[in-house]
Amino acid sequence: MASVSLPAPASGRAELLRAFEESRTGVRGLVESGVSTVPDIFRHPDPYASIPLAPPTASIPVVDLSLPFPAAAAAASDAARTWGFFHLINYPSASSSDNYPARALAAVRAFNELPPSERAPHYGRAVDGGVNYSTNVDLYNSPAASWRDTIQVMLGPNRRPDLASRIPPVCSAELLEWESRATAAARAVMGLLSEGLGLGAAALEEASCLEGRVMACHYYPQCPEPESTMGIVPHTDPGLLTVLAQDEIGGLQVKHQDEEGKSCWVDVKPVPGALVINVGDLLQIMSNDKYPSVEHRVTMNTREEPRVSIAVFFSPGKRGPSALYGPLPGLVSSENPPKYRDFTMEEFFGTFFSRDLASKALIDHFKL
């Protein structure tokens, strides 16, 4: 097995990044090469020291879709307003006997554990083919990289007709099946959150917010120095809503203010059979700050098993490139004026991708 060689730190970050990219085997390739320390491009200065952890009894809320619609809508709206995150149970297809999302998570793991020679042909940053496999979407913009590899699949609105053949064969069928199930869960949640805003259950779907879909399949390999790097840096998601399936390893944490108004990190402990739902920046804007987009991160664990998760990000899609988005009209008035200006999705995501993932300035860019 070929090892991944990195230049000495003195040769500069650009050279280090170039050597890492040319290996085409991601962070998993570093592990396969037998690295015993975290390379400099992945080192974060004191990544876990700034904000304390919440007591282990703290937890994000749980929303049960088997409840009558008014009760489920009230629970989802309250969770979104106070936490920006919640577990979703009894969602569409949750009791299916064919073991999703576990099958999709296992397929992602299987791809990342293929021999390097089989992974490398898929490695690259271009998204025009609908699928890419790479390390850190913001690798060249961030001050330090995070310890993860990702398969990204562009599912909509401009879906390639040959998309299935472009996804690595070891996980193609499972990921496309999970897309349909995650979309059903997102449709149900959008109905609850729309109702919770007093707009009726169809408002967000009618704004095409189910149509823009991107799937990010994250693989976090074992790390030789878990205290020196991160799985994902603190960030907020740019889109409207995220549906996350995670395995039993854990590591996801949400920033929350305790009863005294002090910030802390709360562990999102995996709940068997549950999905994790979170509000994105766009939903905070469209709800005129009713639903906050909350910072979250992934810590490195000390277990030998890698962590695997699949996030599906939903955003507007089919209203045309010149369509404008901002606070929903039904939520603004002379007494409650809009807090954000209108913008196109091109401007919105162009602003997001011009920054590193940890930047907090995306929402601020559109504030009035």
Side-chain angles (χ1 to χ4, degrees), residues 268-285:
V268 181
K269 302 176 185 68
V271 173
L275 300 177
V276 178
I277 307 294
N278 69 274
V279 172
D281 293 340
L282 187 58
L283 183 51
Q284 177 169 337
I285 291 171

Side-chain angles (χ1 to χ4, degrees), residues 243-265:
V243 175
L244 177 75
Q246 61 172 342
D247 64 14
E248 73 284 357
I249 299 297
L252 176 63
Q253 295 180 338
V254 172
K255 187 184 285 187
H256 184 66
Q257 286 192 339
D258 62 20
E259 295 178 356
E260 298 178 355
K262 297 178 181 178
S263 292
C264 57
W265 288 107

Side-chain angles (χ1 to χ4, degrees), residues 101-154:
R103 285 181 60 184
L105 292 167
V108 171
R109 181 190 297 265
F111 168 77
N112 282 278
E113 295 177 0
L114 289 172
S117 60
E118 295 182 41
R119 297 197 314 274
H122 297 281
Y123 196 93
R125 299 198 172 271
V127 297
D128 54 349
V131 182
N132 69 347
Y133 156 60
S134 65
T135 296
N136 290 229
V137 68
D138 62 340
L139 183 67
Y140 293 96
N141 294 330
S142 61
S146 296
W147 198 257
R148 74 180 185 281
D149 298 322
T150 302
I151 306 169
Q152 182 175 259
V153 186
M154 312 301 290

